[in-house]
Amino acid sequence: MSEPQKILVVFGTRPEAIKLFPVVAALQADPRFTPVVCVSAQHRQMLDQVLAIAGLVPDHDLDLMKPDQTLDGLTAALLTGLGRVMDLEKPARVIVQGDTATAMAGALAAYYRQVPVDHVEAGLRSGNIYHPWPEEVNRKIIGSIASLHFAPTEVSQAALLAENVPADRVHVTGNTVIDALHWVSARIEGDPSLAAGLDELKARFAGKRIIGVTSHRRENFGGGMEGIAEAIRQIAARPDVAVIFPVHLNPNVRKVMGAALDGLDNVALIEPLDYPHFAHLLAISEIMLTDSGGVQEEAPALGKPVLVMRETTERPEGVAAGTAKLVGTETAVIVTELFKLLDDKAAYEAMARAHNPFGDGQTARRIVELLGNEIGR
Ligand code: UD1
Ligand code: UDP
């Protein structure tokens, strides 16, 4: 038998870790591969939360995060740091996920060494390079470099084919987020104490209708965030509602949300939740209000209506299925749409259908099979 192939798996933020730990596990279980994990730690605490629950110990940790980091400062550090690890490890292939600065720089550093790059969650496109910003361009750069493109759905496959990526390089695999969600749901079922950190809030808000909120997009900083904060303040003025909002550690988010919402009776601004607690928040929420990418995939899978606080989405599948709706960042629109869901049972029921276009929870296994075929070619 030939030597196992060394695969360098590169990631740095919370969502990449959630979406790649199933791939690392599948690679570890396959004798054809030796996975080597390099984290940039573009995120620190929020990345570590995922590493801890997944029991994943990176082989390399660049520990790059700086407070309120700039896109160029971060990207420069990523390129040199990841390049150094690639020179040391000399991987046969590099895997990146999604559209973060880490993923883009990881792909570019591999390309500079002529090492093939495989892209997990390929082909998402909003068609607008400033929404989301800078993710739309990050993933287009990765798309122009990648060897194998693992598209979550036929929509993302079509976007890649429209950019002239050869059809035999694109595979519809589903999204590994569903693998992660299944895994964490089973863990919580086996051990409910994994999500017991929310018990106190559940008691405080007993009888109220829970709205789960997350927000962090760079293009929403400034006016957009203020519009979102004011909407949450107005929503929480209703006595029948409670908002649970784990606040992203980005200081640009915390400043605005803290100033507008701290101390309100029906609002809990809390620290970022680890994955089991966040999955539990999804389960107990009546509606999710978010600008997150991953939450747009998880909430429909659980039959939770999602109001997406963005102008565009690269995940039209949830909108097409009726479980997600784009509401932008204008206060009046967010409040009107949310109240409609709270007060119009038929409107709520029309959205609250479990719908899962993003895979069957077997995506990581499928990706590793495809990688096996590729190295066997
Ligand atoms: C990044 C990604 C974005 C992704 C998001 C997921 C880029 C350019 N952006 O955005 O695509 O959707 O992660 O959450 O790649 N911070 C901490 N601790 C942490 C994490 C962040 O203190 O664990 C603070 C730091 O001050 C840091 C700042 O947040 O400088 C911004 O982090 P950064 O990764 O640059 O941007 P995000 O907005 O998190
Ligand atoms: N998430 C989490 N704790 C939180 C908020 C979110 O574990 O407090 C998870 C969520 O389940 C999803 C992912 O983080 O899988 C989404 O990350 P984020 O919104 O930061 O990034 P995006 O998906 O927008 O890139």
Side-chain angles (χ1 to χ4, degrees), residues 1-78:
M1 214 172 103
S2 54
E3 283 285 290
Q5 297 277 304
K6 189 188 276 188
I7 310 287
L8 187 69
V9 185
V10 173
F11 54 95
T13 64
R14 169 174 67 194
E16 293 167 274
I18 289 172
K19 290 171 171 178
L20 280 177
F21 80 75
V23 176
V24 174
L27 286 169
Q28 281 167 341
D30 191 318
R32 292 173 295 179
F33 298 106
T34 305
V36 174
V37 173
C38 175
V39 297
S40 66
Q42 170 182 338
H43 284 175
R44 185 70 274 171
Q45 304 90 324
M46 286 157 54
L47 171 73
D48 291 344
Q49 284 182 313
V50 186
L51 296 177
I53 186 71
L56 195 56
V57 181
D59 300 282
H60 300 273
D61 187 332
L62 302 179
D63 199 20
L64 283 184
M65 194 192 81
K66 299 258 183 301
D68 203 7
Q69 57 208 1
T70 58
L71 292 176
D72 39 12
L74 171 64
T75 302
L78 282 165

Side-chain angles (χ1 to χ4, degrees), residues 208-361:
K208 291 189 190 277
R209 305 169 72 179
I210 307 274
I211 314 293
V213 179
T214 78
S215 177
H216 71 81
R217 300 241 71 86
R218 276 181 192 257
E219 71 272 15
N220 286 346
F221 291 167
M225 283 275 155
E226 279 156 23
I228 291 171
E230 176 57 22
I232 295 168
R233 206 186 57 75
Q234 293 183 20
I235 290 162
R238 275 176 67 135
D240 60 335
V241 159
V243 170
I244 300 183
F245 184 173
V247 186
H248 193 288
L249 292 177
N250 194 318
N252 299 290
V253 182
R254 297 175 82 83
K255 236 182 328 208
V256 175
M257 297 306 168
L261 305 171
D262 238 351
L264 294 183
D265 278 351
N266 290 343
V267 180
L269 289 186
I270 57 177
E271 293 305 316
L273 293 168
D274 68 13
Y275 196 38
H277 282 96
F278 192 77
H280 189 56
L281 175 61
L282 283 170
I284 63 171
S285 294
E286 203 166 310
I287 301 165
M288 291 302 299
L289 190 56
T290 190
D291 62 14
S292 160
V295 177
Q296 287 179 67
E297 295 152 348
E298 293 162 333
L302 299 173
K304 301 290 174 174
V306 203
L307 296 182
V308 182
M309 299 183 290
R310 296 198 196 178
E311 307 305 327
T312 60
T313 181
E314 62 289 84
R315 294 167 171 88
E317 296 89 345
V319 178
T323 49
K325 189 166 189 180
L326 283 176
V327 296
T329 57
E330 262 181 52
T331 302
V333 180
I334 298 172
V335 173
T336 306
E337 292 293 341
L338 197 116
F339 284 3
K340 188 156 96 194
L341 284 183
L342 285 174
D343 296 329
D344 179 344
K345 204 164 182 303
Y348 184 86
E349 294 300 330
M351 281 186 86
R353 283 182 312 236
H355 175 79
N356 180 10
F358 298 108
D360 55 2

